[in-house]
Amino acid sequence: MLLAIRTEALRQAAALTKELVRQVKSSDACRRLMTVPGVGTVTAATFVATIDAPGRFAKSRSVGAYAGLTSRRHQSGAVDYGGRISKRGDRLLRTMLYEAANSLLCRVKPGRGQALKDWAMAVKGRTSHKKAVVALARKLAVMMHAIWVNGSVFKESEA
């Protein structure tokens, strides 16, 4: 009985994954976002579904703050220091961007996205792996928004 339920759940998950891939391939915005190294179907679909209307952000930099990937500010008088990331905004989008950045940093072969990877490795050398991945995730969010608004694709020279 339990094995039959597991088999049916896996069959339904495979059908949903196939439908997601079909929907993403039919979306022009998602196809362009998937040209960014590390960004796959799930990340592109999550980004498009969460942002919905890219014109509501005046600057692409605002998307990083919207996803909760910017540092919290602690200010009082002359004191002004940054803390951890704010974690405001959509948790799923933040998770997907983090996963895309981590895969770019750890899994993507040399060549494609090398400038982004080199930048993140330099950040990693100054701080920690997780902070470098968060910084790269924020950078990916900004780039993905700019690609969506401009109607362009990822170019290595612009990274």
Side-chain angles (χ1 to χ4, degrees):
M1 177 69 174
L2 202 53
L3 188 58
I5 292 171
R6 180 183 177 273
T7 304
E8 181 61 23
L10 289 174
R11 189 190 64 73
Q12 288 179 0
L16 286 172
T17 302
K18 190 175 180 179
E19 178 62 22
L20 175 69
V21 169
R22 190 184 68 74
Q23 292 285 334
V24 167
K25 284 185 178 180
S26 68
S27 169
D28 182 53
C30 289
R31 277 188 280 122
R32 284 187 280 112
L33 293 177
M34 288 184 349
T35 61
V36 177
V39 175
T41 55
V42 177
T43 305
T46 304
F47 190 82
V48 169
T50 304
I51 301 301
D52 192 37
R56 65 186 173 133
F57 296 100
K59 299 176 186 172
S60 293
R61 283 191 327 219
S62 304
V63 176
Y66 177 77
L69 291 169
T70 56
S71 60
R72 297 172 84 176
R73 305 300 305 169
H74 301 279
Q75 298 174 330
S76 176
V79 175
D80 181 17
Y81 62 93
R84 295 182 175 173
I85 62 170
S86 66
K87 294 187 180 177
R88 306 276 183 194
D90 191 58
R91 185 178 197 170
L92 180 62
L93 176 62
R94 190 170 49 255
T95 302
M96 290 296 112
L97 289 169
Y98 185 90
E99 289 297 324
N102 196 38
S103 71
L104 174 60
L105 198 57
C106 299
R107 304 262 186 232
V108 172
K109 302 286 184 218
R112 187 158 185 263
Q114 194 61 41
L116 285 171
K117 191 172 184 175
D118 290 344
W119 177 82
M121 291 301 272
V123 172
K124 183 178 175 179
R126 293 190 305 268
T127 60
S128 67
H129 177 76
K130 288 184 179 181
K131 287 182 182 179
V133 173
V134 168
L136 184 56
R138 183 173 45 247
K139 190 168 194 148
L140 286 178
V142 171
M143 287 174 41
M144 289 169 70
H145 182 265
I147 286 171
W148 192 5
V149 169
N150 296 341
S152 61
V153 294
F154 176 78
K155 294 182 185 80
E156 185 69 34
S157 61
E158 294 175 0

